Amino acid sequence: MREAHPRERATGVDHYVSDADGIGGRLRVAPEDFRVRERERMDPEPLDAHEGSYPFLLLRATLRRWDTNDFASALSNAMGASRERVSWAGTKDKHAVTTQLFTVRDADPEEIPDLDGADIEVLGRVGRDLTFGDLAGNEFAIRIRETEEDPAPITRDLRAFAAGDSDSAAAGDSDSTVAAADTAVEIAVPNYFGHQRFGSRRPITHEVGLAAIRGDWRGAVLAYCGNPYDTEPEDSQRAREVVEDQADADSPDWSAALDAMPGRLRYERSMLHRLDEGADWREALEAVPSNLQRLFVNAAQSYVFNRILSERLRRGLPFERPVAGDVVAFVERDTQFPKPDMDRLQRATEGRVDTLARHCERGRAFVTAPLVGTETALADGEPGEIEREILRDLDVGPGDFELPGEFASTGTRRAILLPTDLTVSEEDGDPVFEFALPSGSYATAVLREYMKCDPERL
């Protein structure tokens, strides 16, 4: 196994599955290089359906150079409507061409405006608004320019990983040959949370969450408002240094920190305003929106999850089948993607491990790892040893997630393997990767194996 880039290791991702050289390259040279299309799971009613029962318009919008939040705001502003009337299922990258769904409450089709860079189609009416993650998955078509190596050896390794035969792939066995270009092949990678989960330029959201989980509210605020990174603008770095200096002072001058903090860093400024008004550290952290408060804890859970997968990979434990002690989730029925059903969990006891392995082999079940919370039951055997070892190292446990307000989490579990059918074609000499992933999984988990680069470039 190759060691991951240092910036990836900061988010718990320690290795690459593939030993082959990375292809390098550049993403998003043009928005059309990165295309994402949501797979919806809502079946709309006709537009003339009774509005009392179906008060939401369902829209499909193809966006170029639009951040999802900015588009929702522009849409509501053009309609003269409250921003709260617009909902969506997934947040997408601005530097891409994205096709995604939106709902608008109490609106008629003729109210939907024309917006530059947006092709909007009204699909019909639905009885509820979209919520985050309320989609079956995403389809990707991604062009990587200026590559330096052939992607075929990496595809070979990832095919072998999907089959539980990564040693054979690394040795280049003939049984691990790569299918012809433009032919879909099944590959798999560890189901890591991508760098974006933690902050692409400044990966600190998990640090904030871990501090909050430990009850260190001061540490949480300073991890967010202080903690300068050399990847951010110089004025941001200087402002964060001022915050740290004031935090160490006997009589902190938070107005001085506010004066130094750039206006674009509005969440940092919100926390500093609270401190300047005499609030305590926890109250300062609660100055940010509730979804960001949840994100802090979610990122901490994601970091623990990534660490667990990295240690499992280091120890050579399989991902495609359980070992004794694992917790296995059966697949949800009637879904476009084979998605784990967290209400149907089974422990792989010595007597059940072979039976559950057969279910996994047939695509009926997945091995899972925890997104730790108050109701998380940890695994047994060696998988449980890994989980407990990492939690001890971080000085957190399931009971620590009993937190006030939005910071609390009951936890869940998540599949550790991310399989997909992959097609690699060419466009003007550049490789184009086409694949689909379930909601909540990251395209960068696949691309990182191919590019093997600084995650800032992903």
Side-chain angles (χ1 to χ4, degrees):
M1 288 182 300
R2 286 193 177 214
E3 191 173 79
H5 190 280
R7 292 191 195 277
E8 287 197 305
R9 296 202 298 275
T11 63
V13 179
D14 291 343
H15 308 288
Y16 298 107
V17 167
S18 170
D19 283 327
D21 289 340
I23 66 174
R26 295 179 61 199
L27 283 178
R28 300 181 179 92
V29 173
E32 291 74 18
D33 291 351
F34 202 106
R35 294 180 175 270
V36 189
R37 182 183 181 89
E38 291 182 350
R39 285 188 183 176
E40 62 263 25
R41 59 184 183 189
M42 274 188 167
D43 292 321
E45 300 293 328
L47 288 172
D48 60 359
H50 187 266
E51 293 184 22
S53 300
Y54 303 100
F56 297 89
L57 283 183
L58 182 65
L59 313 179
R60 180 189 291 129
T62 297
L63 309 178
R64 292 169 178 80
R65 299 188 185 277
W66 273 108
D67 173 85
T68 305
N69 286 277
D70 291 343
F71 172 76
S73 296
L75 179 64
S76 59
N77 288 341
M79 294 175 62
S82 165
R83 164 66 186 72
E84 300 301 317
R85 287 170 56 187
V86 181
S87 301
W88 60 92
T91 300
K92 300 295 189 290
D93 196 293
K94 178 178 181 179
H95 303 289
V97 176
T98 66
T99 300
Q100 57 191 116
L101 300 178
F102 294 84
T103 49
V104 184
R105 187 179 70 247
D106 300 328
D108 293 319
E110 56 270 18
E111 295 180 72
I112 303 302
D114 292 327
L115 295 173
D116 289 341
D119 296 327
I120 305 173
E121 178 185 1
V122 180
L123 300 181
R125 291 193 175 276
V126 291
R128 62 175 179 84
D129 60 347
L130 287 165
T131 57
F132 193 75
D134 198 6
L135 66 156
N138 295 288
E139 299 172 358
F140 299 91
I142 300 169
R143 177 180 179 179
I144 305 179
R145 302 190 190 227
E146 301 175 18
T147 55
E148 301 168 356
E149 300 286 344
D150 181 0
I154 299 172
T155 301
R156 177 204 65 205
D157 290 354
L158 300 186
R159 288 185 74 189
F161 186 68
D165 192 22
S166 53
D167 288 341
S168 147
D173 286 3
S174 58
D175 289 343
S176 297
T177 54
V178 181
D182 296 320
T183 301
V185 296
E186 183 178 359
I187 66 163
V189 296
N191 194 18
Y192 282 126
F193 284 92
H195 205 71
Q196 309 95 306
R197 182 74 159 185
F198 310 97
S200 295
R201 175 173 287 180
R202 187 169 166 264
I204 51 84
T205 51
H206 62 295
E207 296 178 17
V208 180
L210 287 169
I213 292 162
R214 299 183 190 113
D216 178 12
W217 301 103
R218 178 183 187 275
V221 172
L222 293 182
Y224 195 79
C225 295
N227 196 13
Y229 267 63
D230 59 8
T231 52
E232 54 184 340
E234 289 186 6
D235 61 341
S236 299
Q237 295 181 52
R238 288 194 298 270
R240 297 189 193 284
E241 291 167 358
V242 173
V243 169
E244 293 186 340
D245 289 343
Q246 294 304 321
D248 291 336
D250 293 333
S251 299
D253 182 358
W254 295 118
S255 62
L258 261 173
D259 290 342
M261 190 63 66
R264 65 178 178 276
L265 301 179
R266 60 186 187 280
Y267 295 141
E268 287 89 338
R269 291 183 60 83
S270 295
M271 292 186 196
L272 294 174
H273 269 298
R274 286 273 182 98
L275 292 173
D276 193 37
E277 293 169 352
D280 63 26
W281 294 102
R282 180 183 135 192
E283 291 169 334
L285 194 64
E286 291 174 335
V288 301
S290 58
N291 64 327
L292 184 53
Q293 295 175 36
R294 289 192 296 272
L295 178 61
F296 292 148
V297 175
N298 293 160
Q301 293 168 316
S302 303
Y303 176 71
V304 173
F305 181 89
N306 281 358
R307 288 272 305 266
I308 291 169
L309 266 56
S310 290
E311 180 62 15
R312 187 179 183 111
L313 198 60
R314 188 188 71 79
R315 295 191 186 198
L317 295 184
F319 278 59
E320 81 291 348
R321 59 180 171 82
V323 298
D326 267 319
V327 178
V328 172
F330 282 85
V331 171
E332 279 188 4
R333 298 181 178 90
D334 303 322
T335 57
Q336 296 182 40
F337 286 95
K339 185 177 180 181
D341 185 346
M342 293 308 160
D343 292 326
R344 301 172 64 213
L345 299 175
Q346 284 196 24
R347 287 185 180 271
T349 61
E350 291 286 356
R352 288 280 294 162
V353 66
D354 289 339
T355 299
L356 291 174
R358 286 194 293 273
H359 283 298
C360 291
E361 181 182 351
R362 295 167 184 167
R364 298 173 182 168
F366 291 96
V367 182
T368 68
L371 294 171
V372 182
T374 55
E375 298 180 7
T376 299
L378 300 179
D380 298 320
E382 190 170 5
E385 176 187 306
I386 291 172
E387 294 170 11
R388 290 172 177 85
E389 179 181 292
I390 288 168
L391 290 171
R392 281 195 302 271
D393 183 57
L394 296 172
D395 192 26
V396 297
D400 295 327
F401 288 80
E402 187 70 55
L403 292 166
E406 299 294 338
F407 298 106
S409 177
T410 57
T412 185
R413 298 188 73 88
R414 172 181 168 96
I416 66 172
L417 188 70
L418 182 59
T420 186
D421 290 334
L422 175 80
T423 300
V424 182
S425 57
E426 280 194 8
E427 184 175 339
D428 295 331
D430 298 324
V432 178
F433 297 81
E434 296 183 55
F435 54 95
L437 299 177
S439 173
S441 292
Y442 288 75
T444 52
V446 176
L447 297 179
R448 64 176 292 275
E449 288 282 353
Y450 281 92
M451 297 178 70
K452 293 186 173 70
C453 63
D454 187 330
E456 256 198 288
R457 294 170 55 190
L458 291 173

